[in-house]
Amino acid sequence: MSKRFPNGRFLSQRWQLIARAMEKSPLKFPHEIRDVEESTNAELLDFFHGERTGFVQVGSEGYFFPHKYKEEAEKYYNFEARPDDIWIATVPRSGTTWTQELIWLVANGLDFEQAQQRPLTERFPFLEFPLFVHPKIKEQLQEENRDSSEALDFIEKISRPGYETLRELPRSQRRFIKTHFPFSLIPPSVMENKCKVIYVVRDPKDVAVSYYHLNRLFRTQGYVGDFERYWRYFQEGLNPWLPYYSHVKEARQHADLPHVLFLRYEDMLADLPCTINTIGNFLECPPKPEDLEKLLEHLSIKSFRDNKSVNMHEMASIGILNKGEAGFVRSGAKTEFQPQKEFAENPKVLKSANDWVEQNVKCFKTI
């Protein structure tokens, strides 16, 4: 018979608890993290003013991050997902925000009132955004907002690691989590717990144009060069979360799992009602047909652009967005047959882009 402790528990139970605790011991981060080559790093710091220390590349694919990732990688990798978490994973500027709002509303019974009252950044937190708030940028923002306690609180909030903020949400509250990590860097617990993951892919040329404007808009990136230079960095994977094709290829390798939904942004634009039903069925909460029209109107580009809950209004209010740049919500267009003006105005860059896309698509026909 097992020995009984004074508190009534058995020795065998204690060992079960110890074994369970040992199972939760931190995972060693499995990928090499190396500094970007010195001359390249110096050049990038000249053109990306949001980072002040330098950049790193991760693993065999060379995923690109600010220097802070070197210190934080293991903590993000060990973030503990919950089985009912809903994740969206994308290369930046692939229709992420639009899809986030769609997911959240479908999963929350089309609660438009709450969606208007609470910003999307609060309802659907961005796991790794704090990696991009360099301490010197944070100091500048704090100085500029020193007379507003509300603004200072918000700066602290966006600077705090996502693995801490999300961990503290009550278990009774379903978590919605945004990430741009590729599948190889997403916390393993996401796949182990079979969390719902929605991945959206978009034409890389449209991604690059939109990402270029985002890099100019956000002071945390602070890009000051032209598009031709930016395209070279994009093509070489020298911008956060790139290389593009490595990221998408990893997603394709997981696309057949029952808890992963792989979507194409262009298909979403072409038939949004079908996409809504696909996502609703995937999340096991399809909206009622009679509610579809209101959701479609809410997700229209005009409504979206004017919606303070999704257009980074709170970021603009603390000065994290550069004035005079394109807004966070742009046209949302697809340009399959007509290149965007950044390419149309530079035939040499357009040819380089088309050749690069053709070469990469040959490597895996499923994209």
Side-chain angles (χ1 to χ4, degrees), residues 183-199:
F183 272 81
S184 58
L185 300 183
I186 287 176
S189 59
V190 174
M191 306 309 287
E192 290 168 3
N193 287 322
K194 294 182 169 54
C195 301
K196 298 282 190 181
V197 180
I198 296 175
Y199 187 94

Side-chain angles (χ1 to χ4, degrees), residues 63 204 243-250 356-358 360-361 364 367:
Y63 290 112
Y244 170 89
Y245 278 106
S246 299
H247 201 293
V248 177
K249 187 175 182 179
E250 287 190 15
W356 178 73
V357 169
E358 183 179 357
N360 278 281
V361 169
F364 50 112
I367 296 224

Side-chain angles (χ1 to χ4, degrees), residues 97-115:
T97 306
W98 191 49
T99 313
Q100 280 178 267
E101 182 75 346
L102 194 169
I103 292 168
W104 191 90
L105 281 165
V106 167
N108 286 277
L110 304 188
D111 188 345
F112 294 103
E113 183 177 352
Q114 190 177 173

